[in-house]
Amino acid sequence: MEFKEREFIPVLLGGDINTYSVARAFYEQYQVKSYVFGKYQTGPSFRSKITIYEGNQAIDTDDYFMKRINRFANEHKDKKILLIGCGDSYVALASRHKNELPANVIAPYIDFDLMDSLQQKERFYELCEKHGVAYPKTIVYKREMGLDFACDYPYPVILKPSNSIAYWEHPFETQKKIYKIKDRAELEKVIEEIYGAGYDDDLIIQDMIPGNDEYMRVLTSYSDRDGKVKMMCLGHVLLEEHTPHGLGNHAVIITEPNKELMGRVKNLLEDLHYVGFSNFDIKYDQRDNTYRFFEINTRQGRSNYYVTGSGFNVAKYFVEDYIYHNELPYEEATEEHLWMTVPKGVAYKHVKNPEYVAKMKKLVSEGKMVNPVFKKGDLGMNRFLRMVKTHLKQYKYFDTYYN
């Protein structure tokens, strides 16, 4: 693999497939090596040829984060440092401290107050109301409501934290990313478990939109420094992970456009004067033919390589906007492309609609498919064996957790 010296260095915060996908985008567009600061010596970026990986469990704490980034910036005074979060807590760190960072460090994020408000799901739903963007029927549950409150939605219902960053700071044995609640007794039990673990923000109780994973969509957008949307890429999710901690993580996506849907979101983002990447989880509601939005992630999503694979390299937007200050044209993804992080056998078995299975097989045969972690030239033995082991475990995970 060949690398080039550039006037910038990408520093990626996190350790999962998000960091590797962004690092791969930086290498493919600019032939640069990315530094990755994660917690543990594991994951796709660890021992990759396109990254320099450093693990420290304190990287997501304010004090260590500031010390480490200051030291790195001082060691590379002649470079611009692009600081990119690859998880909610890391993006929050970069946004919260962006005005305290050294002059050569660029944190391409909105101000923390706006970011924090958008992370609260009830604030996001207020914006949806304003812009005619549909979302599921919702109860914002506050702890002071106790257990004597009305919930008139038919069971099962969805329960999830409004503040996901604070939620994961208080782990407990039965903790899940999202709960599918079967009855009132379970709803009350889980509420007590969540607050008993130390979480003290609101919870979201929602009407469950019918339909399996194949009704899901994901929308990724990029807004430039002036708050103008410059790229939108909509993906049709065919399969998600179903392990307790991975529930909702995308596993198979086919890119497909929807101009009306993207237009509404474009108006919402520009009204906010939002900057940087945004990522939306959406589900098609067959009951009334609407697309219902669940949340906004104030960053590129975990599955961001579906965007790069579709021809819209995510690294390009950071660099052209913040390093070279080039005017970006508005672009929408229109060509079908397949992204997957599970073996083809898992996808073909667990995607229910035969038309989608046929479409996946067609895209594979045409070479329009990518698994981001298996990059040609970056398959050293240790990393390759770890990635294959994780890959093959998906057979068992889906047989166990996905009905």
Side-chain angles (χ1 to χ4, degrees), residues 12 14-24 34-38 40-54 86 373 378 383 386-387:
L12 315 181
D16 67 0
I17 192 174
N18 194 325
T19 61
Y20 187 77
S21 297
V22 176
R24 178 169 174 173
S34 298
Y35 284 76
V36 178
F37 295 160
Y40 308 106
Q41 303 281 46
T42 187
S45 292
F46 178 52
R47 293 189 173 172
S48 162
K49 296 176 184 177
I50 63 173
T51 69
I52 296 172
Y53 187 92
E54 178 180 303
C86 297
V373 303
D378 194 20
R383 182 180 178 278
R386 285 187 294 111
M387 294 303 98

Side-chain angles (χ1 to χ4, degrees), residues 22 70 76 91 97 147 150 201 224 250 284 336 364 383:
V22 176
N70 275 306
H76 301 88
V91 171
H97 295 291
L147 297 178
D201 211 326
D224 69 10
H250 304 137
Y284 175 70
E336 288 185 338
V364 169
R383 182 180 178 278

Side-chain angles (χ1 to χ4, degrees), residues 98-138:
K98 70 176 185 176
N99 294 325
E100 308 163 41
L101 295 168
N104 63 328
V105 177
I106 298 168
Y109 296 107
I110 52 176
D111 290 339
F112 181 71
D113 287 347
L114 175 58
M115 178 178 289
D116 192 47
S117 71
L118 289 174
Q119 296 285 4
Q120 313 301 314
K121 293 181 177 61
E122 59 261 44
R123 166 66 173 141
F124 173 62
Y125 296 144
E126 290 171 5
L127 291 168
C128 288
E129 287 276 2
K130 179 180 178 181
H131 291 276
V133 174
Y135 61 94
K137 295 176 182 177
T138 297

Side-chain angles (χ1 to χ4, degrees), residues 26-285:
F26 270 105
Y27 175 75
E28 290 174 347
Q29 188 74 23
Y30 299 103
Q31 292 74 55
V32 296
K33 189 171 288 193
S34 298
Y35 284 76
V36 178
F37 295 160
K39 279 191 168 186
Y40 308 106
Q41 303 281 46
T42 187
S45 292
F46 178 52
R47 293 189 173 172
S48 162
K49 296 176 184 177
I50 63 173
T51 69
I52 296 172
Y53 187 92
E54 178 180 303
N56 189 303
Q57 292 186 41
I59 188 61
D60 63 349
T61 63
D62 292 84
D63 288 346
Y64 181 78
F65 164 79
M66 286 300 293
K67 288 177 184 176
R68 186 65 189 96
I69 299 305
N70 275 306
R71 177 157 56 90
F72 187 89
N74 189 55
E75 292 167 348
H76 301 88
K77 289 181 179 178
D78 61 329
K79 302 285 187 181
K80 293 180 180 178
I81 312 301
L82 268 171
L83 186 64
I84 299 170
C86 297
D88 290 335
S89 61
Y90 297 110
V91 171
L93 273 173
S95 175
R96 186 161 58 241
H97 295 291
K98 70 176 185 176
N99 294 325
E100 308 163 41
L101 295 168
N104 63 328
V105 177
I106 298 168
Y109 296 107
I110 52 176
D111 290 339
F112 181 71
D113 287 347
L114 175 58
M115 178 178 289
D116 192 47
S117 71
L118 289 174
Q119 296 285 4
Q120 313 301 314
K121 293 181 177 61
E122 59 261 44
R123 166 66 173 141
F124 173 62
Y125 296 144
E126 290 171 5
L127 291 168
C128 288
E129 287 276 2
K130 179 180 178 181
H131 291 276
V133 174
Y135 61 94
K137 295 176 182 177
T138 297
I139 296 169
V140 178
Y141 176 86
K142 299 181 181 297
R143 192 175 189 179
E144 56 266 28
M145 292 165 62
L147 297 178
D148 185 20
F149 66 95
C151 179
D152 299 326
Y153 308 146
Y155 288 92
V157 297
I158 297 299
L159 177 68
K160 56 190 176 184
S162 178
N163 186 335
S164 59
I165 296 175
Y167 175 70
W168 289 112
E169 290 174 351
H170 301 280
F172 56 96
E173 186 176 350
T174 57
Q175 189 174 35
K176 296 180 181 179
K177 184 178 178 181
I178 301 169
Y179 296 85
K180 183 179 176 181
I181 304 293
K182 67 179 183 295
D183 55 31
R184 178 72 187 215
E186 185 183 16
L187 178 62
E188 294 180 3
K189 176 176 179 289
V190 175
I191 288 173
E192 290 184 322
E193 286 177 345
I194 291 171
Y195 286 117
Y199 177 75
D200 63 359
D201 211 326
D202 298 344
L203 296 173
I204 299 295
I205 303 169
Q206 285 182 328
D207 175 34
M208 194 176 87
I209 309 300
N212 61 19
D213 294 352
E214 295 158 46
Y215 288 82
M216 295 298 299
R217 304 294 190 275
V218 56
L219 175 61
T220 300
S221 302
Y222 182 80
S223 303
D224 69 10
R225 290 169 297 135
D226 296 323
K228 297 297 182 183
V229 174
K230 295 298 183 179
M231 184 277 296
M232 305 191 88
C233 183
L234 181 68
H236 185 166
V237 180
L238 300 184
L239 204 59
E240 294 181 337
E241 294 181 22
H242 287 266
T243 58
H245 278 239
L247 187 64
N249 288 339
H250 304 137
V252 179
I253 299 171
I254 293 179
T255 306
E256 65 176 30
N258 183 319
K259 281 190 172 293
E260 181 184 0
L261 187 66
M262 292 189 289
R264 291 180 187 176
V265 176
K266 185 173 184 288
N267 291 337
L268 184 155
L269 291 169
E270 293 187 348
D271 184 48
L272 278 171
H273 205 73
Y274 185 93
V275 299
F277 275 99
S278 54
N279 178 261
F280 300 85
D281 290 325
I282 309 162
K283 191 169 186 178
Y284 175 70
D285 191 340

Side-chain angles (χ1 to χ4, degrees), residues 387-399:
M387 294 303 98
V388 168
K389 183 179 179 181
T390 300
H391 197 58
L392 295 179
K393 280 182 179 178
Q394 298 298 329
Y395 283 100
K396 181 180 179 181
Y397 290 157
F398 275 87
D399 286 342

